[in-house]
Amino acid sequence: MKKQVVLYKKLSPMLMSRLQAHADVTLIDEPKSDGLARLRAALPEAQGLLGASIKLDAALLDLAPKLEAVSSVSVGIDNYDLDYLDQRGILLSNTPDVLTETTADTGFALILASARRVVELANLVRAGQWKRNIGPLHFGSDVHGKTLGIIGMGRIGEALAQRGHFGFSMPVIYHSHSPKPAVEARFNAGYRSLDALLQEADFICLTLPLTAETEGLIGAREFALMRPESIFINISRGKVVDEAALITALQQAQIRAAGLDVFEREPLNHDSPLLHLNNVVATPHIGSATHETREAMARCAVDNLISALAGERPANLVNPKAWAVR
Ligand code: DGY
């Protein structure tokens, strides 16, 4: 008999057929609006779940007594309670690797856009305010040759370092749990304590996951360590940063600019002070959002789920403890 899968993210027709060959699929479109009630209603029969961007907490998953596997269409796993999943032997899988390069591209787009004031000045042209050659008031800052500081040297951090080192001749410094000799050799990168990196880097880029340890990692004290020329880039998770402290740092010119793809609350409220600051480039969590990458992530998630429901260990299993107790 086919397993019951609840899908809370739309798949391409090709991937939908692939999944349907292995499972009976119920699609809950837009689970964030009225769909949440439909998602709840579908949970009692669900053996597999596939989707992203919904916090699947214990209260929600208690409604799914038959659940065997959750396949997240994301690399980030901050929407899941790992202890709870482990206890119940529910397998969680994610989609690493396939989004690494695209997310690093997004990081670099934010570096370039904030340093060269691309959005602000493009808006000026669009508003008909380009009347004469621009002068120092509208100059940006160089990217090439500046020091790239990466906090969290995982796959995406490395891909960012590659772009900075080989493409823009940037000295690379980084902070992570522990030094990574291979990274240092490849990009001539230097390990720094967090405080030293904040003081030294021209571009401070967050690429680390949201965990209990990293939540609120960058706050008022950390912004105070940065230099007035520093540009702050966040492509990890909004909650790694104290957003109120970031706003104050920008308003008081403690840092020069910020390029932000992630926020404490998403979607970002339209009345956020961040949107009143010309030196902020804000994008709507587009880290992995290209046609090619989102399709590759969905394919990876479908394959993970098919394996898990067939009793096989999914290629991207996040919680091996659940595999042991299932
Ligand atoms: C991820 O894959 O974690 C991206 O941030 C999308 O949520």
Side-chain angles (χ1 to χ4, degrees):
M1 215 167 79
K2 283 185 179 174
K3 297 269 170 110
Q4 300 296 316
V5 164
V6 174
L7 191 63
Y8 54 100
K9 190 173 191 68
K10 222 170 167 178
L11 295 176
S12 65
M14 196 188 74
L15 290 177
M16 188 65 161
S17 320
R18 182 163 162 66
L19 186 57
Q20 280 171 330
H22 297 265
D24 284 331
V25 180
T26 306
L27 171 65
I28 312 289
D29 227 350
E30 296 298 326
K32 275 191 172 164
S33 47
D34 72 315
L36 195 53
R38 286 186 293 125
L39 178 62
R40 285 169 176 277
L43 286 177
E45 290 309 313
Q47 292 165 295
L49 287 178
L50 188 147
S53 312
I54 296 278
K55 192 140 199 91
L56 293 186
D57 55 18
L60 205 54
L61 292 187
D62 277 345
L63 300 173
K66 301 180 182 171
L67 194 60
E68 296 169 24
V70 177
S71 179
S72 187
V73 193
S74 67
V75 69
I77 50 165
D78 43 291
N79 275 330
Y80 310 94
D81 178 341
L82 286 188
D83 289 339
Y84 174 92
L85 294 175
D86 285 348
Q87 266 169 29
R88 282 193 50 195
I90 298 171
L91 305 182
L92 174 66
S93 51
N94 68 345
T95 60
D97 301 319
V98 289
L99 48 60
T100 299
E101 298 298 331
T102 298
T103 308
D105 286 349
T106 302
F108 235 89
L110 289 173
I111 288 175
L112 289 166
S114 19
R116 300 301 307 273
R117 303 170 64 176
V118 172
V119 176
E120 178 192 355
L121 298 180
N123 283 342
L124 175 146
V125 176
R126 195 177 283 263
Q129 287 167 14
W130 186 23
K131 308 277 193 211
R132 59 190 69 83
N133 286 347
I134 63 146
L137 199 61
H138 292 116
F139 290 170
S141 20
D142 279 342
V143 173
H144 66 273
K146 293 287 181 71
T147 299
L148 177 60
I150 300 174
I151 302 176
M153 190 50 94
R155 285 172 284 239
I156 295 169
E158 278 192 44
L160 206 59
Q162 182 178 20
R163 283 154 179 73
H165 175 67
F166 292 112
F168 289 80
S169 306
M170 300 171 89
V172 176
I173 56 176
Y174 73 103
H175 177 75
S176 64
H177 275 309
S178 52
K180 301 201 164 184
V183 168
E184 295 180 12
R186 211 165 139 217
F187 308 121
N188 194 24
Y191 183 82
R192 298 286 187 278
S193 69
L194 180 62
D195 287 4
L197 182 144
L198 298 174
Q199 287 167 317
E200 194 180 331
D202 294 301
F203 294 91
I204 294 157
C205 305
L206 299 191
T207 65
L208 72 191
L210 174 64
T211 62
E213 202 187 344
T214 63
E215 184 162 359
L217 182 74
I218 306 296
R221 189 192 80 88
E222 287 69 30
F223 285 114
L225 290 174
M226 299 179 196
R227 289 178 289 111
E229 313 76 52
S230 303
I231 294 184
F232 180 72
I233 305 292
N234 191 359
I235 53 169
S236 68
R237 286 292 185 265
K239 287 187 176 150
V240 175
V241 179
D242 174 347
E243 205 162 274
L246 167 62
I247 292 166
T248 305
L250 286 159
Q251 285 170 336
Q252 296 183 352
Q254 277 179 301
I255 58 174
R256 177 165 290 165
L260 308 169
D261 189 43
V262 288
F263 303 88
E264 254 175 28
R265 274 169 179 271
E266 295 178 9
L268 180 63
N269 209 314
H270 189 236
D271 60 16
S272 165
L274 288 171
L275 299 179
H276 298 287
L277 293 164
N278 274 337
N279 53 350
V280 170
V281 176
T283 50
H285 202 142
I286 58 167
S288 61
T290 65
H291 292 293
E292 300 90 335
T293 295
R294 284 293 168 88
E295 183 66 4
M297 290 166 70
R299 192 180 317 120
C300 178
V302 165
D303 288 346
N304 283 331
L305 188 59
I306 291 172
S307 300
L309 293 181
E312 294 158 15
R313 188 182 166 115
N316 306 110
L317 180 66
V318 169
N319 56 342
K321 276 193 196 158
W323 178 256
V325 303
R326 84 202 185 288

